[in-house]
Amino acid sequence: MGDLTPNYNLYEPLPSESMADVKRNVNDNFKIMVGLTKHTNVATLPTFADGANVGQTVYLTDSDYQSVFVCVVSDPDFGAMWRPIQVPKSPFFILPPTAFNTPANWRQGVLKVLYDNQGQIWFKGSFEWLGSGAFPDGAAIQILKRFPKGMRPSFSKCLFPTVTDPQPETRPSQDFNGGWFFVVSGTADSPGLNAVLCFRSSTGNEKFMYMDNVFYAVGEGFVSA
Amino acid sequence: MTFLNLNIMPDPPLDPLVNVVTQLNNNWDVIDLGFQKMQNQPPGPPASPDIGQQYSGADTNAVWTGSTWRTPVSWNDGWSVWTTLSGYFQGLAPFVNDPGSPLQYRNNANIRQVELRGAVRNGAVGNPFDNQTYSLSPMTVGIPTAFTPADGKTFLPAEFTLLTSSNPADFSCSALIIAELRAGAHVGLRIKHNGASNPGSTGNSMFFDNVRWFY
């Protein structure tokens, strides 16, 4: 009895064995090779429900995004997200409602992210305040669930200015305020804290907090177990 | 989709009508080409690539699209020159370009992004930006509508500062403003200042440095 190769179990007959058994010595090996798959071409990027795996690569045949993509997030709450290799940016991935931490009096608007081929993640979209009056002054809320790996910054935490608006469809309006989008990868003293909105000096009737132009390099940061 | 399209020869007893040696040798050719595709034998990319197939060059990754090898698109190579929005504030007095840093934009065709820099000056003497909305929609010139944000608008923080005074104490005012961009004859800009700024001797400026959006 001959040997099997370590990776693909190809049969290697002993020198003393007869080569008359073509099935065992040749054809069964070829069948194993035929069964191997090559790169995967897809028309749309696989979702979490499709079984996307982090590290998986696919080639997207869409005419706007002809590129290899690497899956960087596949999470039951945040869905699947892909980083491009050739094209400069990915399509927008809309964060599903399950990514929202459902704090009281807040609603997730259409919040979406894209990845670029420089290793950065870009946010766009808003959260809506459903309470009466303005945002609570000086409050900090956990607006999104803990980011999975692949969305965390490459450093321990980062802070972005944001803007608000009360009536985005009926401009001009008079009231606006600033806020902060605070992303923390998780440290020993605050494990798992991610994606916090902070507010200050709210005096008007702000309703929407916008995340436009929030972007950072993705990395591991300080990841707590 | 199989990676190696090999001949499967008939199991014994051998069919005298099938040339097993030829099929076996053809399989070796397929295997050889497959390994060449996988390993990218130098000096160049595979001679007969498949769509979606990659190879690694000296410093980049390429993928075959069916007609060309596509390498990673550079961000840096896509930027246009800066265009000064001269005449942008025609009819919008007292707003003018900040003399030291006029409002400029550039676009990046590779990443489809616009970036603003420079400042808007409230040119009236001693005229601060008050707590209100200022429409800066251009009358005759501006940022082309082709660069309108992908979903029609975006909300971007920017910096306000009093830059016209030589007194460092006057340099302390900073606040968020909103640059609103809407489709029209040109991309419209509106800024909103929260609170009142200190009046300057010749006007105050709002800065848009590093303001960017995807179009």
Side-chain angles (χ1 to χ4, degrees):
Chain A
M1 186 67 180
D3 297 323
L4 297 176
T5 59
N7 295 316
Y8 299 101
N9 289 329
L10 303 176
Y11 184 75
E12 295 177 328
L14 296 173
S16 58
E17 286 184 293
S18 169
M19 288 299 291
D21 190 347
V22 175
K23 177 180 184 299
R24 182 194 66 181
N25 293 335
V26 180
N27 279 344
D28 285 351
N29 285 352
F30 284 158
K31 287 177 181 176
I32 291 174
M33 292 187 236
V34 169
L36 300 179
T37 57
K38 62 179 182 181
H39 53 266
T40 304
N41 292 0
V42 296
T44 58
L45 293 170
T47 65
F48 176 78
D50 293 332
N53 291 313
V54 172
Q56 177 186 3
T57 61
V58 299
Y59 174 74
L60 186 59
T61 57
D62 184 292
S63 58
D64 291 333
Y65 296 96
Q66 288 181 329
S67 174
V68 174
F69 283 77
V70 181
C71 183
V72 291
V73 171
S74 188
D75 183 89
D77 290 330
F78 286 82
M81 302 177 194
W82 298 77
R83 174 183 169 181
I85 300 299
Q86 282 81 29
V87 290
K89 61 183 181 180
S90 73
F92 272 111
F93 304 105
I94 297 176
L95 293 189
T98 47
F100 192 50
N101 196 41
T102 62
N105 288 326
W106 282 92
R107 180 166 61 195
Q108 180 180 329
V110 178
L111 187 66
K112 48 194 177 181
V113 299
L114 67 76
Y115 287 79
D116 66 33
N117 67 356
Q118 312 286 293
Q120 298 175 117
I121 183 174
W122 297 72
F123 288 76
K124 184 171 179 57
S126 64
F127 297 100
E128 183 179 3
W129 166 249
L130 302 176
S132 60
F135 298 152
D137 185 16
I141 59 171
Q142 175 91 29
I143 194 75
L144 291 171
K145 293 178 180 175
R146 187 187 186 199
F147 282 2
K149 293 181 180 178
M151 291 185 69
R152 300 170 185 170
S154 58
F155 28 85
S156 63
K157 49 195 165 187
C158 48
L159 185 66
F160 303 96
T162 62
V163 290
T164 69
D165 192 89
Q167 297 171 322
E169 303 304 326
T170 56
R171 298 187 180 284
S173 54
Q174 294 298 314
D175 299 318
F176 90 100
N177 255 300
W180 300 98
F181 188 55
F182 196 30
V183 182
V184 182
S185 281
T187 60
D189 57 343
S190 59
L193 184 64
N194 281 116
V196 175
L197 286 176
C198 299
F199 310 105
R200 190 61 188 168
S201 65
S202 298
T203 56
N205 297 302
E206 303 87 350
K207 291 298 179 188
F208 295 89
M209 178 68 78
Y210 287 88
M211 303 297 113
D212 294 357
N213 211 28
V214 170
F215 66 99
Y216 54 83
V218 171
E220 286 297 312
F222 292 102
V223 180
S224 180
Chain B
M1 182 180 292
T2 57
F3 180 61
L4 296 170
N5 189 23
L6 301 173
N7 296 311
I8 302 300
M9 287 160 278
D11 292 331
L14 292 177
D15 184 344
L17 299 179
V18 175
N19 189 327
V20 175
V21 173
T22 297
Q23 289 200 335
L24 184 59
N25 287 344
N26 287 343
N27 282 352
W28 296 135
D29 290 338
V30 172
I31 292 170
D32 180 81
L33 178 61
F35 288 166
Q36 193 262 358
K37 287 180 177 178
M38 283 191 293
Q39 296 183 323
N40 179 34
Q41 298 287 342
S48 55
D50 296 321
I51 293 174
Q53 181 187 334
Q54 298 181 80
Y55 86 93
S56 296
D59 58 357
T60 187
N61 288 330
V63 65
W64 183 252
T65 66
S67 58
T68 185
W69 285 103
R70 188 169 199 176
T71 54
V73 175
S74 165
W75 281 53
N76 292 333
D77 294 346
W79 288 111
S80 69
V81 297
W82 289 100
T83 299
T84 299
L85 292 169
S86 59
Y88 184 79
F89 302 110
Q90 179 181 350
L92 296 176
F95 300 111
V96 296
N97 270 324
D98 185 279
S101 51
L103 198 59
Q104 296 178 315
Y105 77 93
R106 65 175 181 172
N107 76 292
N108 189 318
N110 286 353
I111 59 176
R112 294 180 60 80
Q113 194 175 69
V114 174
E115 183 176 5
L116 284 180
R117 74 177 182 186
V120 177
R121 171 169 293 191
N122 188 339
V125 173
N127 197 350
F129 286 96
D130 295 323
N131 185 14
Q132 60 178 295
T133 299
Y134 298 93
S135 176
L136 300 179
S137 297
M139 301 295 287
T140 56
V141 296
I143 303 170
T145 54
F147 301 144
T148 300
D151 52 3
K153 59 192 174 189
T154 193
F155 299 82
L156 304 164
E159 285 290 323
F160 166 83
T161 188
L162 175 63
L163 198 63
T164 56
S165 171
S166 60
N167 183 354
D170 292 335
F171 196 63
S172 60
C173 185
S174 178
L176 286 174
I177 63 172
I178 294 176
E180 181 197 11
L181 304 126
R182 307 176 73 182
H186 302 278
V187 173
L189 297 176
R190 294 188 184 194
I191 56 177
K192 296 179 181 179
H193 180 56
N194 189 38
S197 61
N198 294 323
S201 58
T202 56
N204 299 324
S205 296
M206 288 189 178
F207 280 78
F208 291 84
D209 292 344
N210 207 29
V211 168
R212 62 182 73 193
W213 68 90
F214 288 116
Y215 62 87

